[in-house]
Amino acid sequence: MIVVMKPGASKENLAAVIKKIEAAGLRTHLSKGEEVTIVGVIGDKKIIANLELQMLPGVDKTVRITEKYKLVSRDFHPEDSVIDAGGVSIGGNEVVVMAGPCAVESLDQLREAAAAVKACGAKFLRGGAFKPRTSPYDFQGLGEDGLKLLRTVADEFDLRVVTEIVDKDDIDIFCRYADVLQVGARNMQNFQLLKALGKCSKPVLLKRGLSATISEWLNAAEYIMSGGNEQVIFCERGIRTYETFTRNTLDLSAVAAIKELSHLPIVVDPSHGTGRWKMVAPMARAAIAAGADGLIVEVHPHPERALSDGDQSLTPEAFADLMKNLGGIAHVMGRTI
Ligand code: PEP
Ligand code: MN
């Protein structure tokens, strides 16, 4: 349930509402917007149903929330959330671009990629050090050495780091090197990992599961937020459908759905979303037009030699072309890039 306070409600009115909710053994979540203050009520449904709050001074109305996810929902927090990721705002007016190789392979590869993406305006360096590969015989990543390389190279080029975490026991190591911890599609419902990330202080980029519904994805974010970490960024990366021309089917309607249902930012990954480098630019443009808050794009200095996802990786030249075209679309959307 949410309690919507009247625009002129006093601090005392609000305190009395919170006191009554907490006295019933329930939790509150406060959202103070420019116009209205909303108190979210979390806890036992039966106790919530019996709470008489609408008669308290300063209360405009109470609204029952039927969805299981609460903290991620726009009902609880009507205004957009802006997340500070290493000093870069995600979910604000600027469309944030994250780019880099699928996997960290070597210092030279990462430096070349970082120089290229920085020169075109990317704010984040992406790259996997712990790779969740479909086959155990494929390159599994450089592990902690890869994280160290990411941090060193990102600092050299004044970029932030986003990288995928696959094991909850590695959170402390990741927090040392990364600005944003990515949960990959394959781990979207790894609830132990999500719960552990709820206790962590870094923002989480939560990719959509391979065949996850919007509701399952929102509930996955709720796991992180209910643990105390409210810094969640959604990432649409395509879902499994009957289509085989593309690696996945990029569901850009998810951007509109998430914007309607949640206050959290959403970025789009047109690289995994299509699996084909030629389709990355058109889908990146469409993502911004659909209202995405950012993009995460695979860029490799030599895609033909990439140890993973070469087919969907842009060359530095193709990435530069893409970035040239995005400014106009961001502008039409009233945003900067
Ligand atoms: C990746 O970003 O390299 C990755 C493995 O993505 P996904 O989890 O979306 O497949
Ligand atoms: Mn990849």
Side-chain angles (χ1 to χ4, degrees):
M1 181 171 75
I2 58 168
V3 183
V4 182
M5 302 300 292
K6 287 183 180 152
S10 67
K11 267 196 217 154
E12 290 73 29
N13 293 159
L14 181 62
V17 169
I18 292 175
K19 198 171 165 199
K20 182 155 185 190
I21 298 167
E22 292 181 349
L26 301 164
R27 277 166 57 203
T28 56
H29 182 270
L30 203 58
S31 166
K32 280 194 176 169
E34 269 176 28
E35 285 170 17
V36 284
T37 295
I38 288 177
V39 187
V41 187
I42 304 158
D44 190 310
K45 266 192 263 171
K46 280 190 217 117
I47 301 178
I48 293 177
N50 291 325
L51 266 187
E52 295 283 335
L53 294 169
Q54 52 277 25
M55 300 310 284
L56 289 183
V59 171
D60 182 8
K61 58 181 171 186
T62 59
V63 183
R64 181 102 41 96
I65 306 293
T66 44
E67 289 87 6
K68 286 237 164 62
Y69 53 86
K70 317 269 180 214
L71 299 170
V72 305
S73 96
R74 204 176 264 289
D75 294 329
F76 258 55
H77 190 293
E79 293 182 11
D80 288 342
S81 281
V82 179
I83 290 171
D84 178 343
V88 174
S89 294
I90 302 177
N93 197 51
E94 186 185 349
V95 175
V96 175
V97 178
M98 310 173 175
C102 178
V104 178
E105 298 169 7
S106 68
L107 177 61
D108 286 348
Q109 171 242 20
L110 199 59
R111 289 192 76 240
E112 264 189 82
V117 304
K118 173 73 187 184
C120 301
K123 294 278 158 41
F124 275 79
L125 180 62
R126 65 142 289 148
F130 293 78
K131 295 302 300 175
R133 303 305 300 279
T134 300
S135 161
Y137 307 118
D138 287 339
F139 177 57
Q140 302 287 309
L142 298 180
E144 190 173 350
D145 288 344
L147 294 180
K148 286 185 191 159
L149 287 178
L150 273 168
R151 186 73 266 163
T152 308
V153 173
D155 286 347
E156 182 182 344
F157 290 93
D158 186 28
L159 290 161
R160 310 291 171 270
V161 170
V162 55
T163 190
E164 178 170 356
I165 181 158
V166 294
D167 187 336
K168 69 176 174 41
D169 294 336
D170 290 338
I171 290 183
D172 287 345
I173 302 174
F174 271 70
C175 286
R176 234 176 282 149
Y177 300 109
D179 298 295
V180 172
L181 275 45
Q182 173 178 326
V183 174
R186 290 154 194 81
N187 274 314
M188 190 205 82
Q189 285 189 316
N190 178 340
F191 298 117
Q192 297 310 321
L193 178 62
L194 300 178
K195 282 184 195 171
L197 288 168
K199 301 284 169 230
C200 134
S201 60
K202 299 275 175 160
V204 176
L205 182 85
L206 180 64
K207 287 196 150 196
R208 184 175 181 183
L210 304 177
S211 15
T213 63
I214 300 281
S215 168
E216 287 163 344
W217 194 15
L218 289 161
N219 276 295
E222 187 81 10
Y223 265 92
I224 302 170
M225 286 192 79
S226 62
N229 185 355
E230 305 207 333
Q231 311 166 90
V232 181
I233 304 152
F234 288 105
C235 176
E236 162 62 36
R237 47 78 72 205
I239 46 174
R240 194 58 74 79
T241 68
Y242 53 79
E243 183 54 70
T244 53
F245 179 69
T246 45
R247 178 176 177 182
N248 291 294
T249 297
L250 185 65
D251 178 15
L252 287 181
S253 76
V255 176
I258 291 292
K259 287 284 170 200
E260 180 182 329
L261 298 171
S262 178
H263 53 91
L264 295 169
I266 175 165
V267 307
V268 168
D269 175 348
S271 307
H272 294 86
T274 61
R276 291 171 167 263
W277 75 266
K278 277 190 189 167
M279 296 181 74
V280 169
M283 291 300 98
R285 296 195 293 265
I288 295 180
D293 298 296
L295 296 169
I296 181 163
V297 178
E298 288 188 340
V299 177
H300 194 290
H302 308 283
E304 69 290 353
R305 283 192 242 147
L307 296 182
S308 66
D309 288 351
D311 290 347
Q312 65 192 37
S313 297
L314 298 183
T315 59
E317 297 71 33
F319 181 68
D321 280 348
L322 162 67
M323 291 296 278
K324 263 184 238 145
N325 291 326
L326 293 183
I329 294 174
H331 181 72
V332 169
M333 298 301 295
R335 305 183 80 158
T336 57
I337 190 159

